[in-house]
Amino acid sequence: MNKLCTFLTVLLFLGFAPYSLLHGQLVAPKWEAAVTGGPTLFWGDLSVGEDQGDYLGKFQDENNWSFGANLGYRVLPFMLLSADFSYGMLEGQRDTYEDPFNSLNQYFEADYFDYALTARVNLNDLIMGYNNNRLFSVYLLAGYGQVHYRSITWQLATDEYINSVGYADQGARETDRNVARRIPLGGGVQLSFTDRFNLRVETYANRTNTNELDAQVGNTGVNDIYSYTSLGAVYKFNLRRSEPEPVPEPVPEPEPEPEPEPEPVFVDLIPDFPASVQSQSTEMLVYRIEKEDLNQSARLELVLPEGVTATSGRAAGADFSFENQTAVFTWTQLPRSPRVTTRVQLKVGTPAPGRHEIKGTFTYEEGGQEKFRDFSRSFSVQPPPVVEKPVVEEEIVEKPKSEIIYRVQVRAIFNGKQPPEEVRRALRLDKEVHEHFHQGYGKYSVGNYETFQEASNYRDDLRQGPVPDAFVVAFHNEERLNSLADARRVQGVEDVTPRRPQTITGATYKIQVAATSTRRDQPPISMVANQLSLTAEGMEIDQSASWYRFMYGDFNSYQEAERKLQEVRTTANDAFIVRYVDGERR
């Protein structure tokens, strides 16, 4: 029987070991300490006697008291492994025989202390999961340990010494205690008052491997048993190294971070002026000022060479003056748009032939500081052509020479430029290449045609050769117009190109990708092109009927325009084809 109990105890520990590996880290608190106290009961050979009575029958007055303590560690969420210790007394008597002097009418007394390694398995936590604040729980316990004891037996009526264990001289002198193995088996209930303090009611029986707890060795073949029923107070805790709470260091007041300096505004001046002019002519000097969101006071000074004067000047929000060969634009506050265009009408007199230079300074205020940009533009002056005999044959002139000229644009470079001669050689052109700056681009065009049809014919030739994307553009007094429709407005009622009744020979097709009804809301061509993933050099603005329409491409046939429309609609869903006849929207 003892071997069976030992086997079951070891099996209990080994059976729950895999559960510990599967559930990993244990929950807190992990430690428990308890103090206990309560009665003890005894079953042994003294209760049998010669009449072979019931071994488990009760003694008379067999109760006594014991006290204990235990310290446990929670190895699993539902199991506590503890070291238990108790100290107490055992006693009992047999007086069932009528003859009070019968030697079997005996009583015994024993004192003991025991200890064991005990496992307490909480059934509630095992079935429903761990809960430190559960009010009521039931548990089973099993363990293994030893008991150290002394025992002495007397005759009940005469107190005559009968036998003893752990005593000498018939119980007069104590000797070493006897030691026996014990296996506690039992259970209990636990009431939780707080997450730290619990009350425990517990009972267990100790199976021993000795017959001498009552100083009687009988012939039953069953070893002695004693039980312990106790009421205990339990305290749960975790072991921590006691350390003084750190005193927080005073937090210094954070110094205010310096405000980051704003990045300087990018300012650039892009000129649009021919590289060569003739004396005794009128020219338009155009400067486009790229200024981002700069909107404070500013001043633009242009120092003109001798022999060149400024007759007028205009720019949004600026006052213009000309004195001592210096043209001046003054802004109290720059416009909010990211760019400002200035135009100065120049009268070229008779300066000395050769190279001349227009020097300038743009002064502006940024972040309370005055800044400036210097720039210059050089040009050459050609003498006027010699006319041996001026002939005026008004009868063969049908109408005064138009101020509008047409060219074929072959290249555009955003925010940059390239020498015109390099452009001519790169594209293998047979005509002079003109350079101008328009809407953020350096643009290069060829030819000087009085009619749209002449320019269109030359454009068609280029499209068959080195420049498949060439298209016609219009200029007024060497200033690039936004669209061909602007050319007709400049000429008033005069048609841009000669009309051919009953023919569509001059018909072309363009793709409208965007439109705005006010000039104030009109975005730059470069911005619309970037948003729609199109090339800005293939886009122009057609203004008519109070609308500003952004037109893309210039196609000779509707089928060609329709093929391009499929590509454009990947980014401009509402794009559509518009037909132009001799440059006029139909």
Side-chain angles (χ1 to χ4, degrees):
M1 185 67 178
N2 290 334
K3 293 182 179 180
L4 177 61
C5 293
T6 304
F7 173 76
L8 292 176
T9 304
V10 174
L11 184 63
L12 177 66
F13 287 117
L14 295 179
F16 290 126
Y19 189 94
S20 175
L21 297 176
L22 292 175
H23 285 71
Q25 185 176 1
L26 299 178
V27 292
K30 296 181 178 181
W31 291 89
E32 292 187 10
V35 292
T36 61
T40 58
L41 292 175
F42 177 80
W43 291 269
D45 297 310
L46 186 62
S47 66
V48 178
E50 65 180 6
D51 58 357
Q52 300 297 313
D54 185 7
Y55 178 81
L56 297 179
K58 288 184 62 179
F59 287 121
Q60 294 179 0
D61 300 325
E62 76 275 29
N63 294 329
N64 214 315
W65 292 93
S66 183
F67 301 93
N70 56 69
L71 177 65
Y73 181 77
R74 188 172 298 278
V75 295
L76 292 173
F78 59 84
M79 186 170 77
L80 191 75
L81 188 63
S82 64
D84 291 13
F85 175 83
S86 63
Y87 175 80
M89 301 292 293
L90 298 173
E91 67 177 19
Q93 68 182 27
R94 170 65 69 182
D95 58 358
T96 58
Y97 300 98
E98 294 181 359
D99 182 4
F101 297 102
N102 189 321
S103 62
L104 294 180
N105 284 340
Q106 303 173 358
Y107 75 94
F108 85 97
E109 291 180 350
D111 70 278
Y112 73 95
F113 68 87
D114 61 17
Y115 47 85
L117 184 63
T118 306
R120 289 174 172 85
V121 177
N122 190 306
L123 300 180
N124 299 71
D125 290 342
L126 177 64
I127 298 172
M128 295 179 287
Y130 177 78
N131 183 355
N132 186 48
N133 296 317
R134 182 175 285 113
L135 177 62
F136 176 84
S137 58
V138 179
Y139 63 90
L140 300 178
L141 69 85
Y144 183 85
Q146 291 184 330
V147 57
H148 297 245
Y149 62 93
R150 292 190 185 96
S151 179
I152 189 170
T153 304
W154 293 276
Q155 206 283 329
L156 182 62
T158 63
D159 290 332
E160 180 183 354
Y161 171 83
I162 297 176
N163 193 25
S164 66
V165 173
Y167 291 94
D169 300 332
Q170 296 188 350
R173 180 169 56 85
E174 293 181 351
T175 61
D176 292 337
R177 296 175 184 266
N178 278 18
V179 180
R181 182 175 64 247
R182 75 182 184 98
I183 297 177
L185 296 172
V189 296
Q190 187 161 295
L191 300 176
S192 176
F193 294 103
T194 70
D195 59 348
R196 295 290 185 182
F197 290 97
N198 294 51
L199 185 65
R200 177 192 295 169
V201 177
E202 181 177 273
T203 183
Y204 59 84
N206 293 280
R207 291 297 304 263
T208 68
N209 65 339
T210 181
N211 267 329
E212 296 182 337
L213 284 180
D214 54 0
Q216 283 284 348
V217 178
N219 57 3
T220 62
V222 180
N223 293 327
D224 295 338
I225 301 173
Y226 69 97
S227 68
Y228 177 38
T229 300
S230 64
L231 178 67
V234 181
Y235 175 70
K236 300 180 179 181
F237 62 97
N238 282 323
L239 291 179
R240 293 181 182 177
R241 187 173 59 184
S242 178
E243 295 181 356
E245 295 185 1
V247 179
E249 297 182 359
V251 179
E253 290 290 335
E255 297 183 0
E257 296 183 0
E259 296 184 1
E261 296 184 1
E263 295 184 1
V265 176
F266 173 76
V267 176
D268 193 17
L269 288 92
I270 302 174
D272 188 357
F273 190 69
S276 177
V277 299
Q278 290 184 350
S279 59
Q280 301 299 325
S281 64
T282 300
E283 303 289 346
M284 180 68 71
L285 173 61
V286 179
Y287 267 98
R288 190 179 76 248
I289 304 173
E290 298 287 348
K291 63 176 188 63
E292 296 183 355
D293 59 351
L294 196 67
N295 63 350
Q296 300 181 8
S297 61
R299 179 183 176 91
L300 175 63
E301 296 182 359
L302 302 171
V303 180
L304 306 181
E306 292 295 333
V308 180
T309 59
T311 59
S312 65
R314 67 182 185 276
D319 295 327
F320 176 77
S321 64
F322 178 70
E323 187 177 358
N324 298 327
Q325 289 300 116
T326 304
V328 179
F329 291 90
T330 304
W331 290 271
T332 303
Q333 185 177 17
L334 285 167
R336 292 188 175 275
S337 60
R339 63 186 57 83
V340 177
T341 301
T342 64
R343 293 179 173 84
V344 182
Q345 190 76 35
L346 299 182
K347 181 178 181 181
V348 182
T350 56
R355 302 295 296 177
H356 295 271
E357 190 174 37
I358 299 175
K359 296 182 178 180
T361 301
F362 180 61
T363 306
Y364 58 96
E365 184 178 350
E366 179 187 0
Q369 297 181 354
E370 187 175 78
K371 300 182 179 182
F372 63 89
R373 287 287 304 275
D374 291 330
F375 56 91
S376 63
R377 175 68 172 175
S378 63
F379 64 97
S380 62
V381 178
Q382 305 295 332
V386 178
V387 181
E388 296 181 356
K389 185 179 180 179
V391 178
V392 179
E393 298 180 359
E394 296 181 0
E395 64 275 10
I396 64 174
V397 178
E398 296 180 0
K399 57 183 179 180
K401 185 179 180 180
S402 173
E403 296 177 338
I404 300 296
I405 63 171
Y406 297 91
R407 294 173 180 164
V408 180
Q409 182 169 315
V410 296
R411 176 166 291 185
I413 302 174
F414 180 69
N415 201 19
K417 62 181 182 176
Q418 183 178 7
E421 183 60 24
E422 289 186 10
V423 176
R424 187 188 68 80
R425 290 197 302 268
L427 299 179
R428 302 189 301 278
L429 302 174
D430 57 356
K431 297 182 182 295
E432 179 185 2
V433 176
H434 301 275
E435 178 186 41
H436 65 279
F437 296 89
H438 182 250
Q439 295 180 340
Y441 287 83
K443 299 183 177 182
Y444 301 88
S445 53
V446 179
N448 287 292
Y449 300 100
E450 292 186 359
T451 66
F452 172 81
Q453 190 60 52
E454 292 176 311
S456 179
N457 293 338
Y458 184 64
R459 174 204 63 190
D460 294 341
D461 293 339
L462 291 180
R463 284 183 174 180
Q464 299 300 322
V467 191
D469 296 328
F471 57 93
V472 178
V473 294
F475 288 80
H476 175 235
N477 291 336
E478 290 297 329
E479 181 178 356
R480 164 72 182 270
L481 300 179
N482 287 332
S483 68
L484 296 176
D486 290 342
R488 185 165 181 256
R489 287 194 299 273
V490 170
Q491 292 177 316
V493 297
E494 179 186 353
D495 286 340
V496 172
T497 60
R499 290 183 179 273
R500 296 181 183 180
Q502 307 300 324
T503 180
I504 58 171
T505 304
T508 59
Y509 300 89
K510 301 181 181 182
I511 300 174
Q512 181 170 324
V513 296
T516 179
S517 60
T518 61
R519 188 173 183 83
R520 182 183 61 184
D521 297 332
Q522 174 189 331
I525 284 180
S526 58
M527 181 183 297
V528 175
N530 288 337
Q531 290 179 349
L532 300 180
S533 301
L534 301 174
T535 55
E537 58 266 25
M539 191 178 293
E540 61 182 19
I541 298 176
D542 180 1
Q543 180 183 357
S544 61
S546 302
W547 282 91
Y548 295 86
R549 299 178 174 90
F550 291 84
M551 312 302 299
Y552 180 72
D554 191 3
F555 307 96
N556 291 328
S557 67
Y558 182 84
Q559 290 77 10
E560 185 182 358
E562 188 175 31
R563 287 194 297 270
K564 191 65 177 179
L565 177 65
Q566 301 306 316
E567 300 178 13
V568 172
R569 278 186 174 173
T570 59
T571 55
N573 297 331
D574 299 328
F576 58 90
I577 298 174
V578 179
R579 187 176 69 141
Y580 284 78
V581 177
D582 295 333
E584 182 178 359
R585 182 186 180 101
R586 291 297 178 89

